[in-house]
């Protein structure tokens, strides 16, 4: 899990590009005219969004409560497969080293195949194509999130544009080895003094997206490749050297994919586990 940057463009200019891209049809020849009639009001709402975004207080944003006809017009602006939206996805997920991140950073498990509307589009139709309200996501995370994004004025999920992830480890895993099978339990713990409000938000995010259980279900994609990567070298190198190299590789991956990248956390725990080392010798 890592932060992404989405501050390279003017948000309302993007809204206007989307509106301009809409074609006039015989079925609804006045669609674009109706959108243009809303433009000044929507621009003012975008300005408010920008202020709240800059202060990281999006949970204070009040929906404009458009009537159904205006709401329907605004919602039709969003089409994940449209060229402008796909270009936005590429822009957001391209790193400074020109590497494209294609894994959902809400979970670091599944492929990006949607945009998460940080303020839900059904409630905040005015921000349906606001780039600062669109986060590249997988449909699994999107389905878990649904429309429930805050509770009693507090956000329930990390906003990875705004919430700076800590440099300290908070994700851990316990391992039990019985009958040639590894039992895993991922858990969160604030061992290193992370701000309590941020840690509470991290716990909520992981819990509501069922990340700990999803990590466990996907653990064999880490365990078996790690075993297969190590075994060919066991007759060539001392085990201590293999362990050192494995730790170094896992930490390099944490630098790229995040301090609490679940695959690296699992690899580090495995390589320091006596039962795992013995399983390599059996």
């Amino acid at each position: 899990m890592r932060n992404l940057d989405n501050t390279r463009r003017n948000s309302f200019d993007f809204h206007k590009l989307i509106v301009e891209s809409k074609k006039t049809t015989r079925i609804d020849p006045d669609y674009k005219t109706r959108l243009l009639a809303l433009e000044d009001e929507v621009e003012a709402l975008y300005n408010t969004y920008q202020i709240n975004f800059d202060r990281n207080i999006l949970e204070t944003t009040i929906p404009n409560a458009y009537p159904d006809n205006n709401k329907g017009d605004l919602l039709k602006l969003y089409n994940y497969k449209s060229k402008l939206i796909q270009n936005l996805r590429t822009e957001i997920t391209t790193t400074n080293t020109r590497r494209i991140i294609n894994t959902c950073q809400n979970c670091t498990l599944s492929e990006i195949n949607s945009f998460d509307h940080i303020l839900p589009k059904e409630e905040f139709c005015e921000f349906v194509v606001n780039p600062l309200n669109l986060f590249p996501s997988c449909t699994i995370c999107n389905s878990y999130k649904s429309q429930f994004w805050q509770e009693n004025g507090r956000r329930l999920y990390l906003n990875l544009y705004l919430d700076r992830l800590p440099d300290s480890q908070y994700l851990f895993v316990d391992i039990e080895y019985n009958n040639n099978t590894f039992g895993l339990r991922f858990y969160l713990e604030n061992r290193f003094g992370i701000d309590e409000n941020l840690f509470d938000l991290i716990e909520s995010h992981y819990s509501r997206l069922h990340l700990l259980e999803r990590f466990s279900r996907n653990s064999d994609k880490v365990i078996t490749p790690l075993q297969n990567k190590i075994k060919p070298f066991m007759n060539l190198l001392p085990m201590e050297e293999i362990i050192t190299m494995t730790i170094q590789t896992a930490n390099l991956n944490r630098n790229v994919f995040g301090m609490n990248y679940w695959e690296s956390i699992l690899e580090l725990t495995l390589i320091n586990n006596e039962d795992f080392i013995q399983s390599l010798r059996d």
Side-chain angles (χ1 to χ4, degrees):
M1 186 179 291
R2 56 176 289 172
N3 291 109
L4 298 180
D5 180 23
N6 189 17
T7 58
R8 302 177 186 127
R9 62 163 72 231
N10 179 281
S11 296
F12 190 65
D13 284 348
F14 186 74
H15 171 93
K16 290 193 291 186
L17 278 175
I18 295 285
V19 171
E20 182 59 31
S21 72
K22 296 301 178 181
K23 293 179 170 54
T24 300
T25 66
R26 286 186 297 174
I27 296 175
D28 191 359
D30 299 324
Y31 176 52
K32 190 178 291 189
T33 301
R34 296 196 304 272
L35 289 172
L36 291 173
L38 298 174
E39 193 165 275
D40 289 344
E41 186 175 49
V42 172
E43 183 176 15
L45 295 169
Y46 268 56
N47 290 336
T48 299
Y49 188 104
Q50 183 71 59
I51 291 169
N52 292 343
F53 182 92
D54 291 341
R55 295 177 181 174
N56 197 3
I57 54 170
L58 287 176
E59 58 271 26
T60 67
T61 308
I62 299 172
N64 200 55
Y66 277 104
D68 288 346
N69 58 328
N70 294 142
K71 179 178 179 178
D73 285 344
L74 289 167
L75 289 175
K76 284 193 329 190
L77 288 172
Y78 178 76
N79 178 359
Y80 177 70
K81 295 182 179 180
S82 74
K83 183 176 180 180
L84 287 171
I85 294 292
Q86 286 298 303
N87 287 345
L88 177 67
R89 168 189 157 159
T90 300
E91 180 182 304
I92 295 170
T93 57
T94 300
T95 69
N96 293 333
T97 58
R98 312 308 300 169
R99 183 175 64 86
I100 294 179
I101 299 171
N102 198 39
T103 303
C104 170
Q105 291 306 297
N106 280 323
C107 63
T108 64
L109 285 163
S110 302
E111 181 179 347
I112 293 170
N113 51 16
S114 68
F115 267 112
D116 166 34
H117 287 79
I118 297 169
L119 301 187
K121 63 181 185 293
E122 288 295 328
E123 186 178 357
F124 295 88
C125 60
E126 56 268 33
F127 304 128
V128 70
V129 291
N130 184 339
L132 296 178
N133 197 48
L134 297 173
F135 189 85
S137 181
C138 66
T139 52
I140 297 173
C141 287
N142 252 340
S143 65
Y144 280 134
K145 182 181 177 186
S146 187
Q147 302 300 311
F148 302 103
W149 65 283
Q150 68 164 328
E151 190 173 78
N152 299 322
R154 296 180 65 118
R155 282 187 292 117
L156 300 175
Y157 300 91
L158 290 163
N159 182 333
L160 292 172
Y161 293 142
L162 295 174
D163 299 315
R164 294 295 108 185
L165 293 171
D167 293 327
S168 303
Q169 183 175 342
Y170 56 74
L171 177 65
F172 301 89
V173 57
D174 285 337
I175 297 177
E176 291 186 4
Y177 185 66
N178 291 305
N179 298 321
N180 298 318
T181 301
F182 289 97
L184 305 176
R185 183 182 73 88
F186 284 89
Y187 63 98
L188 304 176
E189 188 174 304
N190 192 359
R191 295 182 186 179
F192 301 107
I194 297 168
D195 176 82
E196 288 186 8
N197 289 328
L198 176 58
F199 186 72
D200 287 346
L201 185 56
I202 290 169
E203 284 190 311
S204 176
H205 182 96
Y206 276 68
S207 173
R208 291 176 180 275
L209 296 183
H210 305 276
L211 297 188
L212 303 179
E213 298 91 333
R214 291 165 68 188
F215 294 158
S216 293
R217 289 199 300 268
N218 283 272
S219 60
D220 193 58
K221 68 177 287 189
V222 175
I223 296 173
T224 298
L226 184 60
Q227 290 172 323
N228 292 340
K229 182 167 62 177
I230 291 174
K231 284 182 177 180
F233 294 97
M234 291 185 63
N235 294 325
L236 303 174
L237 297 171
M239 181 55 70
E240 292 77 10
E241 189 171 338
I242 293 173
I243 292 172
T244 298
M245 288 192 300
T246 302
I247 292 171
Q248 289 174 340
T249 300
N251 283 325
L252 286 171
N253 284 333
R254 291 170 87 187
N255 290 335
V256 175
F257 301 116
M259 174 62 67
N260 290 277
Y261 181 48
W262 75 275
E263 292 192 23
S264 296
I265 296 297
L266 179 52
E267 287 177 343
L268 289 168
T269 306
L270 288 167
I271 202 63
N272 286 291
N273 182 278
E274 289 296 330
D275 289 327
F276 178 74
I277 299 299
Q278 185 59 46
S279 75
L280 298 173
R281 297 189 174 106
D282 293 342

